[in-house]
Amino acid sequence: MYKVLKRTFCIIFSSIAIVVLSPLFVFAIVGIFFSDRTPILYKAKRLGKDNKEFSMLKFRTMRTQRQSQNMRFTADESRIFRFGKLLRKTKIDELPQLFNCLKGDMAFVGPRPVDVQQASIMHEGKYAECAKFAHGLTSPAALYDYIYGDSISNEEEYQQKVLPTRKELEYLYTQKASLCFDCKILAYTFLAVCHIVPKERMLKMILSL
């Protein structure tokens, strides 16, 4: 029943959200075009439920030249154009994933989709449990990454300070997944992205889930 209700919720609310947030879609499209031309969208190869590969949609925030071949958990800051920084800071770059939710590749709440090259790290051992769930727009780990992880640009430092906790929070979701817990994470996401709750307090709230 939980899975059926969750899927129904995704179809209804992703459709509504796409319509309501359409001005932000237009804002992003126009801004990217005049900042760095095309392509507007970036299609990231990700693994979702049952390790099924799909294209996760994002508004492009990085210049297309000098594509990095290295496996990174942090963004290559040198490639992010100015308007792209605004999109990333406000999370507007993630809005196209509403279409992934509508299609069924993703849900609103669930472990974040895993980069194909990072699967051996993110889904090793007990963390393989994450692959049994529909992957989401937000999760405890995604919020932790947004509030704390995004402040660390050094790849080695990120893997030491952020990644272990991020993996534990992804696993935590698999143990607590329910409609009530999903609603709680959605509420936390709203409070965090809209800066209604200070980052320090929000971080404590996430770590105490």
Side-chain angles (χ1 to χ4, degrees):
M1 181 62 70
Y2 166 58
K3 292 181 180 179
V4 172
L5 290 174
K6 186 169 184 174
R7 180 63 189 137
T8 302
F9 176 90
C10 282
I11 294 173
I12 294 173
F13 285 93
S14 58
S15 300
I16 294 173
I18 289 169
V19 174
V20 173
L21 299 175
S22 58
L24 290 180
F25 279 83
V26 174
F27 170 72
I29 291 169
V30 172
I32 293 171
F33 181 79
F34 283 103
S35 297
D36 202 55
R37 298 301 176 181
T38 57
I40 300 299
L41 292 176
Y42 168 63
K43 297 180 180 181
K45 291 184 178 180
R46 294 291 186 267
L47 297 179
K49 187 175 183 295
D50 299 324
N51 287 316
K52 181 181 178 181
E53 186 175 323
F54 71 99
S55 294
M56 187 179 77
L57 303 176
K58 299 182 72 171
F59 281 123
R60 184 172 62 86
T61 58
M62 293 186 177
R63 302 189 187 283
T64 54
Q65 60 267 34
R66 296 195 297 108
Q67 294 285 347
S68 173
Q69 299 301 315
N70 297 325
M71 183 182 72
R72 295 174 60 98
F73 285 92
T74 56
D76 184 351
E77 296 287 339
S78 65
R79 290 176 51 217
I80 304 175
F81 51 88
R82 184 176 296 180
F83 186 74
K85 291 181 180 180
L86 173 64
L87 295 181
R88 294 174 74 93
K89 184 177 181 180
T90 57
K91 290 300 178 180
I92 292 176
D93 65 318
E94 308 280 1
L95 289 182
Q97 289 162 46
L98 288 169
F99 288 99
N100 287 121
C101 289
L102 186 61
K103 182 181 176 183
D105 294 326
M106 295 173 61
F108 272 86
V109 184
R112 281 296 286 169
V114 178
D115 187 299
V116 173
Q117 295 182 346
Q118 298 169 356
S120 60
I121 297 174
M122 297 303 296
H123 284 176
E124 63 180 349
K126 70 177 183 179
Y127 308 109
E129 192 73 16
C130 296
K132 298 179 181 179
F133 290 76
H135 287 47
L137 285 171
T138 187
S139 69
L143 284 172
Y144 176 73
D145 207 38
Y146 172 64
I147 295 170
Y148 178 59
D150 284 355
S151 65
I152 299 177
S153 58
N154 181 273
E155 180 68 18
E156 184 176 349
E157 184 180 2
Y158 181 94
Q159 293 200 32
Q160 290 178 350
K161 294 183 177 180
V162 180
L163 191 58
T165 303
R166 177 178 153 187
K167 291 171 67 176
E168 286 299 322
L169 287 172
E170 292 287 42
Y171 181 72
L172 171 73
Y173 178 80
T174 69
Q175 304 303 296
K176 292 193 172 186
S178 67
L179 285 177
C180 288
F181 192 66
D182 285 358
C183 289
K184 186 174 185 177
I185 298 304
L186 285 173
Y188 277 21
T189 301
F190 177 79
L191 294 173
V193 174
C194 294
H195 303 288
I196 296 174
V197 175
K199 284 188 175 182
E200 295 78 10
R201 183 182 172 190
M202 180 56 69
L203 187 60
K204 291 180 180 179
M205 291 167 63
I206 293 167
L207 294 176
S208 64
L209 283 169

